[in-house]
Amino acid sequence: MRPAAVATVCALALAACGASDGDSPDPRPSPLLEGGVPAFKAKLKELRGRPVVVNKWASWCGPCRAEFPHLRRQAKKRRGQVAFLGVNSFDNEGNAREFLQENPVPFRSFKDPDSKIAAEIEAGQAFPATAFFDRRGRLEYVKQGYYSTERQLAEDIERYAR
């Protein structure tokens, strides 16, 4: 195969990796999503019919770093059944991107520098915070603080993301 053809095939394959739903199969970090509250609400509306878990995090947050592996495993385990989204609040974009490179998760995160999305999901001031939406898009529960075990996260997903 000619080098130009190989480059084209590779570029097309990489472009296909950017799935648009909340539980993208691409394990590499997706770019931080723009659009604030309107884009976040539109994504939640798009995901109706599936429960949604929304995690508010920041790169500077030690507990956020500690629970990211739990979120990664649960998002992979529940792919196609429960959608996951992130909300990166009160953070520097460069640091957030670096954090996602170091801690890849199979879902996208919205940029939320002024914490307006966090307020919309009643995530308060705690970092991290996790919001659970039911299939109809209704907010069922918000956990303030981090999940120290994956089992605790899984139990809340079973309880609230229905």
Side-chain angles (χ1 to χ4, degrees), residues 57 59-60 65 91-100:
W57 61 275
S59 64
W60 47 261
R65 290 178 177 271
D91 207 351
N92 169 290
E93 185 174 345
N95 292 342
R97 288 180 184 276
E98 184 178 322
F99 175 81
L100 288 173

Side-chain angles (χ1 to χ4, degrees), residues 38-140:
F40 178 78
K41 284 183 171 182
K43 177 55 80 174
L44 281 180
K45 187 174 182 180
E46 177 186 316
L47 292 170
R48 282 215 181 117
R50 276 196 286 178
V52 181
V53 175
V54 180
N55 180 257
K56 179 184 84 167
W57 61 275
S59 64
W60 47 261
C61 167
C64 299
R65 290 178 177 271
E67 80 174 0
F68 247 55
H70 308 321
L71 290 159
R72 178 185 316 111
R73 286 188 295 271
Q74 285 296 306
K76 286 180 179 180
K77 178 180 178 182
R78 298 172 189 274
R79 185 169 174 249
Q81 300 165 2
V82 177
F84 286 73
L85 293 171
V87 174
N88 176 249
S89 292
F90 284 131
D91 207 351
N92 169 290
E93 185 174 345
N95 292 342
R97 288 180 184 276
E98 184 178 322
F99 175 81
L100 288 173
Q101 287 176 341
E102 295 168 2
N103 302 279
V105 289
F107 54 86
R108 295 179 177 193
S109 290
F110 281 87
K111 288 195 310 188
D112 190 31
D114 53 9
S115 209
K116 288 183 180 176
I117 297 173
E120 194 68 31
I121 62 170
E122 301 175 18
Q125 298 298 316
F127 277 87
T130 306
F132 298 86
F133 291 83
D134 68 12
R135 293 178 192 284
R136 293 171 287 186
R138 288 190 320 193
L139 180 62
E140 289 293 318

Side-chain angles (χ1 to χ4, degrees), residues 17-34:
C17 290
S20 64
D21 69 356
D23 57 350
S24 168
D26 186 357
R28 292 174 296 150
S30 299
L32 292 169
L33 299 172
E34 307 263 351

Side-chain angles (χ1 to χ4, degrees), residues 140-159:
E140 289 293 318
Y141 174 68
V142 179
K143 159 106 166 125
Q144 303 289 336
Y146 83 109
Y147 286 99
S148 59
T149 69
E150 185 177 348
R151 181 177 181 193
Q152 292 171 330
L153 173 61
E155 288 172 354
D156 277 356
I157 292 170
E158 292 294 324
R159 185 177 301 128

